Amino acid sequence: MNARPKIGVYICHCGINIAATVDVEEVVRFASTLPDVVVARNYSYMCSDPGQALITEDIQNMGLNRVVVASCSPRMHEPTFRKTLMSVGLNPYFLEMANIREQCSWVHEDRIAATEKAKRLVESAVVKVRRLEPLEVKEVEVEPSCLIIGAGIAGIQAALDIADAGFKVYLVEKTPSVGGHMAQLDKTFPTLDCSACILTPKMVDVANHPNIELLTYSQVEEISGYVGNFDVKVRKKSRFVDVSKCTGCGACAEACRQAGRIPSEFDEGLGMRSCIYLPFPQAVPAKYTIDKETCLFLTRGKCGDSPKCVEACEAGAIDFEMKDEMLEFKVGTIIVATGFDVFDARNKPEYGYGTYPEVVTALEFERLVSASGPYGGKVVIPQRGKKKKKKEGEEEEAPRVPKNITFIQCVGSRDKSVGNEYCSRVCCMYTAKQAHLAKDKIPDAEITIFYMDVRAFGKGYEEFYDRVRREGIRYIRGNPSEIFRRGDKLVVRAEDTLTATPMEHETDMVVLSVGLMPRSDRREIIDLLKLSSSPDQFYLEAHPKLRPVDTATDGIFLAGACQGPKDIPDAVGQAKGAASAAMILMASGKVKVEAQTSVVDEATCRGCGFCVEICPYSAIELVEVNRMGWPVKVARVNEALCKGCGACAAACLSGSIQQRSFRDLQILPQIEVLGVSD
Amino acid sequence: MAENTRETFEPNIVAFLCNWCSYAGADLAGTSRIHYPSNVKVVRVMCTGRVNPLFVMNALQQGADGVLVSGCHPGDCHYMQGNYYARRRFTLMRRFLEYLGVEPARVRMSWVSASEGSKWKEVVEEVVEGVKAVGPMDQFKRRQLNW
Amino acid sequence: MVDQAKLREVAREVISREDVRLLIGYRPGTYGFRARPAFVESAEQVEELVFTPACVSNLASYLVLEEKPPLPRGAEPDNRKVAVMVKGCDSRALVQQMVEKAYERDHLVVLGIPCSGVVDMARVEARFPGVLSAGSIIREGDDFVLSFDGKTEKVPAAELLADKCKRCRYPTPLVSDIMLDDEVERFAEDDFSDIAELEGKSVEEKWAYWAEKFSRCIRCYSCRNVCPMCYCEDCILDRLKPVWMRRSVDISENTAFHISRAYHLAGRCIQCGECARVCPVDIPLMELNRKFYKDVEELYDYEPGLSTEATPLLSTFSVEDREDFIL
């Protein structure tokens, strides 16, 4: 079948990365003695153009039909060298790599031991490559549609880009409205343009775009299939309001018996809403939703004599019988844009959040300074737990306006004590912005910011930070140790680390610059899509530098803060990146599928079905074939579904099902050479 | 190997690593320049689900003093379930080999994720130490016959 | 004990059916009271059928080992049913074969034999040397009654019973179409104390024990060939690409062979004991199988060969499976 193997072995110095620890010349000498090795060479950088040329020239001049590259991890450069082989007409699967950098030279110090190990690894690659077979790279069609999970700014941007390019988008959002965290913000740094003003038009666009099917108050329940052909099941949760009838007039919310009693998520619990609600005035879609957790009629089956919202709704849109709806559709690509949670300041009890009403989080402060917020944009000390709606005639106690405001940065970021080592990347700048806004609203207020370092790395950020400092805002370098009450003031105890002075700082209000956290419900998506997490628990990209929007699974991409803390420009940038990555697949219309799939020897398969049972992708089925006149059942692999995990091959007792490139015949010789002790 | 005493014995260990978690974790140890003993030599497979427990037997027979199978943490398998199948197979095989008189220290399994470069080092160290403590594999190692 | 006349009567009816092509039962051996398999294709042959405590072999093996020679072009395969006589233990082989999709249930006519135990021929031979070459044996109450050289000997059953019967959990067949006798209640328990004993020893003692056993192996593969679960078209032991282990008879290759054989039966062995019975060099093969059986039951609460609805043990998992040894 295959011609006698003629193997070329190419050993990379990787500058001194390998050569400093491994005696490359010695490995070359050793490799040239191995069976079927025709040539063994070394070069400073095999992955460079001249390095690759060494290989292609040998293939052409010496008739090599197998190549071993001993260099970095195959996870790094296997695709590179496969292309090298392909460029001169050799099947790309006649390549085997020996990882003598990441798993040898970089982790061992003893030159002799590292060299010996490198020799073994090269030998293991040689004995495997001898038995490799050419594989066919197959293509499948890509459904020209994209599922985007999460409709914050990243999801919205990706949806608009893809839809504008002419592809169908399913934009799924868990909450009743699109907008995400950005909708909660007042102004945005460093330009101070109003968040709603730049976001709202985009929100409206996603709702109206002919190529976007917007599924708010919906959750992805099931995803199966593979790149180009994902089958998606989405649960459209019941709003108990017929959106085709709801005019968004709001009469229902005013009528609700619980009006003003339910903490508003959008206002971070500082404002109140009704059980039937619009999350915020600019919500898209502008349709009301009944919260079934609090609605009296839905929880108790009774709301007075009859639910007031029903009476109030002239359109007759309210329907307590409404059920969740299941939608099923096919997409070719998926973008995950599920965003973040903010750090729960209760996990830093020394700052007294939850104990002192004067201590608020930065996101709460956004709602305070926002004109659409619960205090109409006044910077005040919020009255927590007090009902805004008073009985007639009762005097309303006016909220206190602070004259001294203190911001504390890095709450829940760069803090190993709460398990977050990372920098949240937005707090320095939003603190500067909030300090500026506070100063703007209360010009005579004294404003102090406690910080560890100020990281103003973005475009216009340093300039903005400088401007804020000039406005008379005091920056003190030091991480406060505690906050306690003294009279009607709060005292922040800290050390000014620039002057090494312990200090107590009296203030009326404290704003905690809370960091960004991976979402508490992140496991749902991990389970659904089999994503991995990085050590900080954000979703893991395929490569931290070169594939920042890809995941390990083909056809699934990441956008926004679900991959790591990001400010708005970065989230938008990544969203556009993810959109373009998805569009590459959809525009080309086809994608190469796994070639290292499983294959059944039908002559020896006994049809026991162990592999059928074990396959996580249902890629194997039993079919009846004719074996010398007798009908027998044998396993057969659907190669478009097979992902190449090889679990079937280990389950098969007779070795009749094998994984291409990982056959028993290919692995056992590796074990043989690695098992031999020196 | 005959000249090996317990003190100078450097065990030879064959490891089967899944491409997505443990192999990537071992790569990360490399990129992070975390040093560890050179006794472990890796066979890359796509998933621990591919690892036939008879590979373990074969490695021990070929002369390996120990075998390590390492994959993704439960629930994190790139192929969803492969590590769960591997867990069953190796639990049984390890107990069986112990029943035959093969020290359990020679048959190890670990979960090392793509982000656990330092855990990979710890696993290697622990496995090497464990095999050192039980000495060279002697039970059914294949002898080189001189005809 | 099964009424021999009734057995033949039922067999006659079954083999006379148009949809049954073969009946597999037992007939007396050439000498003495050994029994051997009988392959009955017509009603005339039923007169030779018997069932006695000497009917030790597991006939389920023949269901999957029957050779299927190439059919001439255009010839229709004979897909008629096969009838088979099974004891309790043997019936589990049928169940497990069906779990592994060897055939459909309606391919079989199962003649169930509730069984109170068969004899261990080695024990009979040890007690009455030479007796195996002539004589007969029946069960009477708690005794075996042996007739040879014109005399009869009564021996308490426990003294001659095969080991597998002394710990038989399923004496009455779990699957059958026609039960040839009244159900036999479970008369024994299996606490795996034989396995636990060796488990309690040091690794050195364990290896010393097995090294001695394995070094005897002549690699005749009788254990594999007799096993009702070993019926791959192409056994890995016979494969040349790749060679999993060499054919040479030495401790290394022999051990590899025994590990492979036992592992391949993990979660599949139904404890009929045939492998150990046929071993010409008395390797206690069932101890290997029973180690897996014990662990599988302990760890996964799983016994093979009980239900045709079961999922093969190693083709499934539980998220909760124990993993205390994993780093």
Side-chain angles (χ1 to χ4, degrees):
Chain A
M1 183 177 83
N2 296 326
R4 171 116 198 126
K6 292 177 87 176
I7 305 170
V9 181
Y10 298 88
I11 300 164
C12 183
H13 293 247
C14 195
I16 59 160
N17 280 307
I18 292 169
T21 324
V22 170
D23 182 346
V24 172
E25 299 285 345
E26 170 61 19
V27 179
V28 169
R29 264 191 300 279
F30 170 77
S32 54
T33 66
L34 295 171
D36 293 332
V37 171
V38 185
V39 61
R41 298 185 197 277
N42 62 83
Y43 189 68
S44 50
Y45 291 100
M46 285 312 312
C47 59
S48 67
D49 276 351
Q52 295 190 47
L54 278 180
I55 302 175
T56 51
E57 280 162 22
D58 283 352
I59 294 172
Q60 287 170 318
N61 301 336
M62 307 175 81
L64 298 185
N65 54 19
R66 303 279 198 288
V67 173
V68 168
V69 180
S71 58
C72 50
S73 170
R75 292 175 54 85
M76 180 87 188
H77 270 318
E78 198 175 63
T80 312
F81 292 112
R82 287 212 199 284
K83 280 189 193 131
T84 312
L85 268 61
M86 236 182 326
S87 72
V88 285
L90 190 58
N91 188 284
Y93 291 90
F94 279 137
L95 170 79
E96 185 65 21
M97 289 185 72
N99 184 346
I100 59 168
R101 191 179 75 173
E102 280 86 342
Q103 295 185 13
C104 189
S105 71
W106 275 351
V107 289
H108 306 316
E109 290 168 297
D110 183 310
R111 192 170 164 85
I112 294 173
T115 305
E116 279 310 307
K117 178 167 167 183
K119 284 154 82 172
R120 285 277 167 260
L121 296 178
V122 168
E123 189 180 2
S124 162
V126 167
V127 296
K128 181 171 180 189
V129 86
R130 287 175 79 197
R131 291 174 170 81
L132 287 179
E133 59 199 324
L135 302 186
E136 193 189 335
V137 181
K138 290 188 180 147
E139 289 180 333
V140 295
E141 308 244 312
V142 177
E143 195 77 26
S145 55
C146 181
L147 166 70
I148 299 179
I149 308 173
I153 181 59
I156 289 173
Q157 186 61 54
L160 290 174
D161 282 8
I162 293 172
D164 283 346
F167 300 105
K168 172 93 185 165
V169 173
Y170 297 89
L171 180 58
V172 177
E173 166 61 40
K174 219 173 188 178
T175 70
S177 170
V178 303
H181 279 109
M182 187 176 168
Q184 288 177 284
L185 308 182
D186 180 40
K187 302 275 193 303
T188 56
F189 62 80
T191 47
L192 295 177
D193 35 10
C194 126
S195 188
C197 310
I198 55 176
L199 178 64
T200 316
K202 285 184 185 288
M203 290 165 57
V204 174
D205 284 352
V206 288
N208 295 337
H209 203 295
N211 286 338
I212 298 178
E213 184 160 342
L214 179 58
L215 301 167
T216 49
Y217 210 46
S218 300
Q219 245 174 305
V220 181
E221 297 245 310
E222 229 180 283
I223 295 183
S224 58
Y226 48 93
V227 56
N229 298 275
F230 294 104
D231 290 303
V232 184
K233 272 191 199 157
V234 172
R235 176 183 295 276
K236 219 173 158 186
K237 291 180 282 186
S238 164
R239 288 176 185 262
F240 303 102
V241 172
D242 183 342
V243 292
S244 64
K245 292 183 186 158
C246 175
T247 61
C249 69
C252 51
E254 274 176 39
C256 175
R257 285 198 166 81
Q258 298 261 74
R261 294 189 197 180
I262 312 295
S264 153
E265 295 84 355
F266 182 78
D267 282 331
E268 292 293 308
L270 297 179
M272 296 293 170
R273 61 167 171 85
S274 311
C275 298
I276 184 163
Y277 69 111
L278 194 63
F280 53 101
Q282 305 91 330
V284 170
K287 307 289 178 187
Y288 278 73
T289 303
I290 296 180
D291 169 6
K292 68 174 175 193
E293 306 295 325
T294 57
C295 169
L296 295 174
F297 190 79
L298 287 170
T299 51
R300 300 183 197 167
K302 191 170 181 300
C303 176
D305 292 332
S306 79
K308 287 215 168 183
C309 53
V310 179
E311 291 169 16
C313 183
E314 285 179 14
I318 293 164
D319 174 8
F320 284 111
E321 298 300 309
M322 192 179 267
K323 294 275 175 296
D324 290 0
E325 205 182 316
M326 293 303 294
L327 301 175
E328 288 181 32
F329 49 88
K330 243 181 159 42
V331 295
T333 55
I334 297 175
I335 294 175
V336 180
T338 47
F340 61 92
D341 280 348
V342 292
F343 176 75
D344 182 353
R346 285 179 195 83
N347 293 329
K348 294 289 285 179
E350 60 270 36
Y351 292 158
Y353 178 75
T355 311
Y356 309 127
E358 299 96 320
V359 180
V360 301
T361 68
L363 198 52
E364 289 168 349
F365 191 81
E366 289 291 337
R367 298 314 305 146
L368 287 178
V369 291
S370 169
S372 71
Y375 295 90
K378 288 198 204 81
V379 174
V380 293
I381 293 161
Q383 298 162 305
R384 282 175 211 274
K386 290 183 187 163
K387 284 181 203 134
K388 301 253 347 253
K389 216 175 179 180
K390 298 273 170 172
K391 288 200 178 104
E392 297 270 328
E394 202 176 321
E395 271 298 302
E396 188 132 353
E397 191 193 335
R400 213 148 52 92
V401 176
K403 288 294 166 199
N404 185 313
I405 306 177
T406 302
F407 291 84
I408 300 176
Q409 292 197 173
C410 291
V411 178
S413 311
R414 303 176 67 198
D415 184 350
K416 284 188 192 172
S417 73
V418 294
N420 294 345
E421 249 187 288
Y422 57 85
C423 165
S424 288
R425 304 190 60 194
V426 293
C427 323
C428 287
M429 295 316 295
Y430 78 57
T431 308
K433 174 202 72 181
Q434 290 185 345
H436 166 84
L437 294 177
K439 193 79 185 167
D440 196 40
K441 305 247 171 181
I442 315 171
D444 59 339
E446 245 183 72
I447 296 175
T448 309
I449 297 176
F450 284 93
Y451 71 104
M452 286 206 270
D453 299 289
V454 171
R455 297 182 167 177
F457 49 84
K459 189 170 178 174
Y461 290 8
E462 182 66 26
E463 295 90 322
F464 181 72
Y465 163 54
D466 191 53
R467 168 183 164 187
V468 170
R469 260 194 337 184
R470 281 167 202 279
E471 286 170 359
I473 285 154
R474 194 170 153 219
Y475 272 81
I476 298 176
R477 188 172 190 277
N479 210 350
S481 58
E482 65 171 323
I483 293 173
F484 56 92
R485 185 180 292 291
R486 185 183 289 153
D488 61 350
K489 295 276 185 189
L490 287 183
V491 179
V492 179
R493 180 172 285 156
E495 181 193 341
D496 180 343
T497 55
L498 291 180
T499 58
T501 323
M503 60 186 294
E504 284 188 353
H505 170 75
E506 286 200 344
T507 187
D508 297 327
M509 182 179 193
V510 174
V511 183
L512 302 177
S513 299
V514 283
L516 272 46
M517 293 278 290
R519 283 186 67 94
S520 58
D521 58 3
R522 64 187 175 278
R523 279 238 63 109
E524 288 173 19
I525 299 290
I526 288 180
D527 292 343
L528 220 47
L529 294 173
K530 291 294 137 199
L531 297 183
S532 307
S533 318
S534 33
D536 56 18
Q537 300 303 318
F538 287 98
Y539 298 143
L540 182 68
E541 63 286 337
H543 189 282
K545 296 177 188 70
L546 304 179
R547 297 179 68 197
V549 306
D550 307 63
T551 66
T553 311
D554 292 340
I556 302 181
F557 305 95
L558 301 174
C562 64
Q563 180 249 343
K566 275 179 196 62
D567 56 21
I568 295 167
D570 283 3
V572 170
Q574 199 192 17
K576 285 181 157 294
S580 117
M583 287 189 288
I584 292 170
L585 287 173
M586 295 187 285
S588 90
K590 9 180 226 267
V591 63
K592 294 188 171 74
V593 291
E594 183 58 59
Q596 299 179 11
T597 49
S598 289
V599 56
V600 178
D601 179 354
E602 293 188 356
T604 62
C605 174
R606 67 173 192 165
C608 68
F610 285 6
C611 54
V612 176
E613 202 73 55
I614 218 166
C615 178
Y617 304 99
S618 308
I620 312 174
E621 57 179 348
L622 288 180
V623 296
E624 194 168 283
V625 298
N626 181 312
R627 189 178 283 162
M628 293 187 292
W630 296 89
V632 290
K633 289 247 168 72
V634 296
R636 191 169 285 169
V637 179
N638 178 340
E639 290 182 10
L641 289 175
C642 175
K643 293 286 200 188
C645 68
C648 51
C652 182
L653 298 179
S654 64
S656 296
I657 188 163
Q658 290 288 335
Q659 185 190 2
R660 294 182 172 101
S661 291
F662 294 90
R663 290 174 182 269
D664 292 340
L665 190 62
Q666 292 153 348
I667 295 176
L668 286 173
Q670 289 189 288
I671 298 175
E672 188 173 344
V673 302
L674 295 181
V676 172
S677 320
D678 310 306
Chain B
M1 291 306 286
E3 67 280 13
N4 267 322
T5 64
R6 287 273 159 123
E7 290 73 42
T8 61
F9 169 55
E10 282 299 336
N12 185 34
I13 291 157
V14 176
F16 298 91
L17 267 55
C18 82
N19 180 60
W20 304 99
C21 292
S22 294
Y23 196 90
D27 277 356
L28 179 62
T31 6
S32 321
R33 310 298 198 282
I34 298 172
H35 291 157
Y36 58 80
S38 62
N39 310 59
V40 172
K41 284 142 204 155
V42 171
V43 175
R44 180 171 73 120
V45 289
M46 297 314 278
C47 177
T48 46
R50 170 66 190 92
V51 187
N52 189 326
L54 298 185
F55 288 167
V56 174
M57 166 201 90
N58 194 263
L60 294 175
Q61 202 193 356
Q62 305 284 4
D65 301 297
V67 180
L68 169 65
V69 178
S70 188
C72 309
H73 287 270
D76 291 349
C77 175
H78 184 74
Y79 304 102
M80 303 188 280
Q81 302 167 352
N83 52 355
Y84 288 124
Y85 295 125
R87 182 168 69 182
R88 273 204 172 184
R89 294 169 181 157
F90 288 97
T91 302
L92 289 172
M93 185 49 113
R94 186 169 190 262
R95 284 174 164 231
F96 181 70
L97 288 174
E98 184 183 0
Y99 185 70
L100 296 188
V102 177
E103 298 85 350
R106 299 192 194 282
V107 185
R108 304 300 290 267
M109 193 166 183
S110 62
W111 306 135
V112 174
S113 79
S115 60
E116 292 177 323
S118 48
K119 180 170 178 188
W120 170 245
K121 165 205 161 85
E122 286 161 20
V123 165
V124 168
E125 285 174 347
E126 174 155 357
V127 172
V128 170
E129 281 315 305
V131 177
K132 271 189 182 173
V134 296
M137 168 72 194
D138 202 33
Q139 287 88 326
F140 59 94
K141 181 177 157 179
R142 182 177 284 162
R143 314 281 161 186
Q144 294 304 321
L145 297 179
N146 295 316
W147 297 102
Chain C
M1 217 177 112
V2 177
D3 180 337
Q4 308 292 318
K6 180 184 173 191
L7 181 153
R8 288 171 195 148
E9 192 46 47
V10 170
R12 185 188 318 278
E13 271 170 38
V14 169
I15 195 61
S16 304
R17 281 164 56 174
E18 290 220 330
D19 60 343
V20 176
R21 100 184 133 83
L22 174 68
L23 184 148
I24 309 174
Y26 301 94
R27 52 179 281 198
T30 312
Y31 307 105
F33 50 73
R34 281 187 197 275
R36 63 173 179 164
F39 299 93
V40 174
E41 290 177 314
S42 67
E44 296 82 71
Q45 292 170 278
V46 300
E47 288 310 319
E48 62 188 15
L49 291 176
V50 293
F51 182 80
T52 71
C55 295
V56 289
S57 54
N58 184 347
L59 302 178
S61 301
Y62 298 102
L63 293 171
V64 286
L65 292 177
E66 187 181 5
E67 207 178 328
K68 289 181 171 171
L71 287 179
R73 202 175 298 276
E76 280 296 310
D78 187 347
N79 279 331
R80 286 177 298 158
K81 294 174 199 276
V82 175
V84 63
M85 283 168 56
V86 289
K87 307 184 287 292
C89 51
D90 308 339
S91 77
R92 295 179 59 197
L94 302 186
V95 172
Q96 190 61 22
Q97 286 168 352
M98 284 187 272
V99 165
E100 300 180 9
K101 303 184 172 62
Y103 42 76
E104 302 283 335
R105 176 67 181 86
D106 65 8
H107 172 72
L108 296 182
V109 179
V110 183
L111 308 183
I113 304 171
C115 166
S116 45
V118 295
V119 291
D120 179 337
M121 289 299 172
R123 292 205 169 104
V124 176
E125 175 70 18
R127 177 119 182 201
F128 307 105
V131 71
L132 294 184
S133 56
S136 66
I137 184 166
I138 54 165
R139 178 75 179 246
E140 272 185 15
D142 288 338
D143 301 316
F144 284 124
V145 180
L146 293 84
S147 314
F148 55 99
D149 297 342
K151 15 174 215 186
T152 55
E153 292 270 0
K154 219 177 217 191
V155 185
E159 292 176 31
L160 295 180
L161 268 182
D163 284 340
K164 64 164 178 173
C165 305
K166 290 183 186 164
R167 46 188 180 233
C168 176
R169 287 175 176 171
Y170 306 96
T172 299
L174 299 176
V175 51
S176 83
D177 294 302
I178 304 159
M179 206 64 99
L180 294 172
D181 202 351
D182 298 334
E183 284 195 15
V184 174
E185 291 216 5
R186 184 181 289 197
F187 53 83
E189 266 312 327
D190 191 356
D191 59 4
F192 293 92
S193 51
D194 52 330
I195 306 303
E197 191 188 330
L198 186 60
E199 281 174 342
K201 298 202 167 149
S202 69
V203 284
E204 289 79 11
E205 288 170 308
K206 286 173 186 162
W207 177 245
Y209 178 81
W210 286 111
E212 190 272 320
K213 309 287 183 219
F214 292 158
S215 60
R216 289 190 221 156
C217 178
I218 56 170
R219 303 286 285 282
C220 66
Y221 298 154
S222 295
C223 47
R224 174 195 67 177
N225 296 350
V226 78
C227 176
M229 301 319 303
C230 285
Y231 57 94
C232 287
E233 293 286 331
D234 204 354
C235 175
I236 63 159
L237 300 175
D238 300 326
R239 279 186 187 257
L240 294 170
K241 282 177 118 186
V243 175
W244 278 90
M245 68 213 63
R246 298 178 187 167
R247 274 91 182 127
S248 38
V249 177
D250 64 38
I251 185 68
S252 171
E253 310 301 335
N254 289 358
T255 305
F257 160 59
H258 285 287
I259 293 171
S260 307
R261 193 198 61 83
Y263 171 70
H264 273 191
L265 288 169
R268 304 176 61 234
C269 169
I270 46 79
Q271 300 221 57
C272 67
E274 287 289 88
C275 47
R277 181 181 70 84
V278 299
C279 180
V281 291
D282 292 334
I283 299 171
L285 292 156
M286 276 304 285
E287 289 177 26
L288 301 174
N289 300 345
R290 281 169 56 72
K291 168 60 183 165
F292 273 122
Y293 197 101
K294 174 174 185 271
D295 285 349
V296 164
E297 188 171 36
E298 257 172 37
L299 293 166
Y300 309 119
D301 193 22
Y302 185 100
E303 270 195 286
L306 298 188
S307 160
T308 53
E309 303 300 310
T311 310
L313 174 82
L314 295 178
S315 299
T316 183
F317 64 88
S318 157
V319 174
E320 312 298 327
D321 282 349
R322 272 173 59 183
E323 57 167 52
D324 31 16
F325 76 102
I326 298 177
L327 295 172

